[in-house]
Amino acid sequence: NTGQTYLLGFSTTEERDELHNRLLQLNLPNLVHHGDQRKEIRSMTQRWQEGHVTNFEYLMHLNKQAGRSFNDLMQYPVLPFILADYTSPTLDLNNPKHLQEPVFTHGYPGPQAKRALCSAVRDVEA
């Protein structure tokens, strides 16, 4: 596994669907088929809460589910900065002084969008 990714563009949805079907027929060992997105997010969230996946893996999964990609700078994955203390030799993550509210990127459009985002997250969790 080289870790390489590719961004493919198709002239028609038929071409896209044909390649997708051919890939599914190959029975690739590392192919991840996306079915029910809410179920996948719930499953990954549970695995993360139980410590089976790292924070980075969890955030990358959420970014992938949101359609973000390293191949498109306009939709690059989002990783929040949540630490407030960068000087202590150890961090107590239960101490609110060591954490901050996740910072939105420069594209953050304001409080109304934040409410919409929080509502969408609640819908997925429901």
Side-chain angles (χ1 to χ4, degrees), residues 35-103:
D36 181 358
Q37 188 176 28
R38 288 180 182 191
K39 184 177 179 181
E40 284 188 39
I41 291 173
R42 278 191 215 108
S43 173
M44 181 58 94
T45 300
Q46 182 175 355
R47 293 180 61 217
W48 171 68
Q49 289 171 334
E50 294 170 352
H52 299 293
V53 296
T54 66
N55 291 343
F56 179 77
E57 290 169 320
Y58 179 64
L59 289 170
M60 291 309 296
H61 179 79
L62 294 178
N63 275 285
K64 184 176 174 184
Q65 292 295 323
R68 296 195 159 284
S69 166
F70 288 109
N71 294 320
D72 183 352
L73 293 178
M74 296 302 293
Q75 296 191 25
Y76 213 69
V78 175
L79 300 171
F81 294 99
I82 60 166
L83 295 179
D85 180 355
Y86 290 93
T87 58
S88 295
T90 59
L91 289 176
D92 176 4
L93 297 180
N94 293 316
N95 182 346
K97 292 181 181 180
H98 290 179
L99 303 172
Q100 66 179 350
E101 184 91 20
V103 177

Side-chain angles (χ1 to χ4, degrees), residues 4-22:
Q4 292 180 325
T5 59
Y6 298 92
L7 178 62
L8 304 175
F10 298 94
S11 299
T12 66
T13 56
E14 289 79 16
E15 287 178 1
R16 179 205 61 205
D17 293 345
E18 181 179 342
L19 177 63
H20 180 253
N21 289 332
R22 287 186 186 200

Side-chain angles (χ1 to χ4, degrees), residues 100-120:
Q100 66 179 350
E101 184 91 20
V103 177
F104 287 90
T105 65
H106 67 282
Y108 171 59
Q112 184 176 359
K114 182 178 179 181
R115 282 191 295 276
L117 174 64
C118 291
S119 175

